Every structure is written in structure tokens, then in C-alpha cells.
Amino acid sequence: LVNEAKLFIAPLKANPLDIENLPEKIKLAAFVPYQMEAILENQTTKNKLKQIENILIGGSSISYALEKKISALHSSSYMSFGM
């Protein structure tokens, strides 16, 4: 990996941040819109999401409501669907 970056693979589930052994500092994470909805519904994982520096969202389009929720996080978020 570049610059000795560490790769963490979370379990495949609706809310991948709902785990105990999540690293404290995450520079980049990728999610699909379904996962983002699940993460944002849970206050604990929503707080974990706010600590991630860059969020990549892809796999399908997102609703305007979800876009507004993501924008309120104040972290760098990128949509990659339809590129």
C-alpha cells in the first residue's frame, strides 16, 4: 500500500460502522447509499462517520434527502455513481 497506509475491511452489512474494533482514524471510506442511510439512522455510527476524513459514495444514485444529511456532516464527501 502507498505510504504504508493500513487497509481495514469492515464486515459486509447494512451498517459497517456498527462494530467494536473500528480504527480511530480513517482517512477514506467507501459506502453505498443504503449503507449511508443505515449509518445516519444510528447516532453512535453517525458520530463515527463524522470522524472519517473522506467519504466516497457510489453504487447507485442518492436521494436529495440523503444528500442534505451527508452535506450536514462537514466532511469531504464524493459521489461516484454515473461517472
Side-chain angles (χ1 to χ4, degrees):
L1 295 170
V2 177
N3 294 325
E4 298 182 27
K6 295 178 183 170
L7 179 63
F8 178 81
I9 301 173
L12 193 58
K13 56 194 247 177
N15 188 340
L17 298 183
D18 190 20
I19 56 174
E20 292 180 19
N21 63 339
L22 191 67
E24 287 186 28
K25 186 171 184 173
I26 300 175
K27 292 201 175 261
L28 173 67
F31 305 105
V32 296
Y34 176 75
Q35 290 173 314
M36 288 296 295
E37 289 282 2
I39 291 167
L40 292 169
E41 287 176 5
N42 178 308
Q43 190 60 48
T44 300
T45 57
K46 183 178 179 179
N47 290 338
K48 289 180 183 180
L49 185 68
K50 291 177 181 179
Q51 302 304 314
I52 299 173
E53 289 184 35
N54 299 285
I55 302 166
L56 179 62
I57 306 159
S60 69
S61 60
I62 62 172
S63 67
Y64 178 70
L66 179 57
E67 184 179 345
K68 285 180 66 174
K69 290 178 189 177
I70 294 168
S71 295
L73 295 173
H74 304 292
S75 58
S76 297
S77 304
Y78 303 93
M79 180 67 177
S80 67
F81 179 71
M83 292 177 64

